[in-house]
Amino acid sequence: GVEPGADQLFSMYIRSVFGPGNSGFDRIRLHSSSSVPIELVSFREGSEAQLRTGTGRDLWPGPLELERLEDGSVELAFPAPVTGGRPLYQARFRTRVFLSGTTFGAELKRATRPEIVQAVSAGDAGSLAASQSLVVVADVENFPLLDRVRLVPQVFTPNGDAINDQAEIRFTIYRLIRARQIEVGIYDLSGRKVRELSLHRENPSGDHSVVWDGRDDAGALVRPGTYLARVAFAADVGAGKTQAASLVGVVY
């Protein structure tokens, strides 16, 4: 297993096999079942012996172009289509795991035929991989669904001078596998909500950050004082809400 929430290095091996009529590919997208971004470290091509000894040909950094997508995945663009042979690729990347079973995957595409996506299947790409599975396992059962809510900074001054003008609400979610509405709100100490900051996440497990600019829902700056930042969501259909909160101070 892997350590939940810790930044870790993973390797994925991809071998292309071309059947009759296959037009090849010039894009490879690497993705996971989590919303946590994938940070590509290297992408190489070579034989098993070359990749084992680190002497494979560097494609990134190198001739391939890298695009980081909004869903946390990355896409590599080849300068020319790959249309034959049995090339073996090694993708090394860093990310964090917040689910008991996180699935990594890859898709091959051709820019001139974007409607055709070839999903990479788990299997025996070579003897280099410790496992032929695309799923990594982490023991997250002892982790809370919602880690503590943190305010950075805990006191801020939204006076428009571009210094300490915003507060960032940070929190971490573990073990959720379906899309959720995550309620984020700012309340005064009487319990009245002054700002709605809720968000929807298709893959809610992972780190989250929401910025508050010190204004209420009408766009006016709130009065100086202490406020409560509250995060809540339904753990399962029909179940009660999981919630946590933290104080934040506004001064002028």
Side-chain angles (χ1 to χ4, degrees), residues 157 178 212-213:
T157 57
R178 292 188 297 274
W212 182 38
D213 59 4

Side-chain angles (χ1 to χ4, degrees), residues 9-32:
L9 180 66
F10 297 92
S11 294
M12 179 188 295
Y13 294 89
I14 303 168
R15 186 183 293 279
S16 300
V17 179
F18 297 90
N22 191 313
S23 62
F25 62 91
D26 55 13
R27 300 285 191 279
I28 293 182
R29 174 176 168 260
L30 306 176
H31 60 88
S32 84

Side-chain angles (χ1 to χ4, degrees), residues 87-221:
L88 177 63
Y89 302 105
Q90 178 199 56
R92 299 173 72 243
F93 56 90
R94 307 194 74 91
T95 190
R96 289 176 292 164
V97 171
F98 296 89
L99 295 168
S100 59
T102 298
T103 302
F104 296 112
E107 296 173 348
L108 309 181
K109 299 186 291 185
R110 184 80 180 257
T112 56
R113 304 187 67 183
E115 74 280 2
I116 299 177
V117 177
Q118 305 172 68
V120 173
S121 302
D124 187 8
S127 62
L128 296 174
S131 168
Q132 304 304 328
S133 173
L134 295 175
V135 179
V136 297
V137 178
D139 183 8
V140 297
E141 294 307 313
N142 294 324
F143 283 73
L145 287 177
L146 175 60
D147 201 357
R148 64 187 180 90
V149 176
R150 308 174 294 283
L151 271 296
V152 181
Q154 290 185 304
V155 177
F156 72 114
T157 57
N159 54 16
D161 63 358
I163 301 174
N164 206 31
D165 269 348
Q166 298 177 328
E168 190 177 358
I169 306 162
R170 299 177 182 175
F171 55 95
T172 303
I173 295 175
Y174 291 91
R175 293 187 279 145
L176 293 188
I177 59 175
R178 292 188 297 274
R180 304 293 162 115
Q181 181 74 10
I182 302 172
E183 300 174 14
V184 183
I186 305 296
Y187 298 79
D188 63 22
L189 295 186
S190 71
R192 180 178 64 92
K193 182 186 286 188
V194 298
R195 185 67 181 273
E196 174 65 55
L197 296 169
S198 296
L199 59 155
H200 180 84
R201 287 290 182 266
E202 289 296 321
N203 299 302
S205 290
D207 290 327
H208 300 272
S209 175
V210 181
V211 171
W212 182 38
D213 59 4
R215 297 182 181 274
D216 61 20
D217 282 330
L221 287 170

Side-chain angles (χ1 to χ4, degrees), residues 66-79:
L66 176 69
E67 181 180 1
R68 295 176 175 85
L69 305 180
E70 289 186 2
D71 62 359
S73 64
V74 295
E75 186 169 281
L76 290 158
F78 288 70

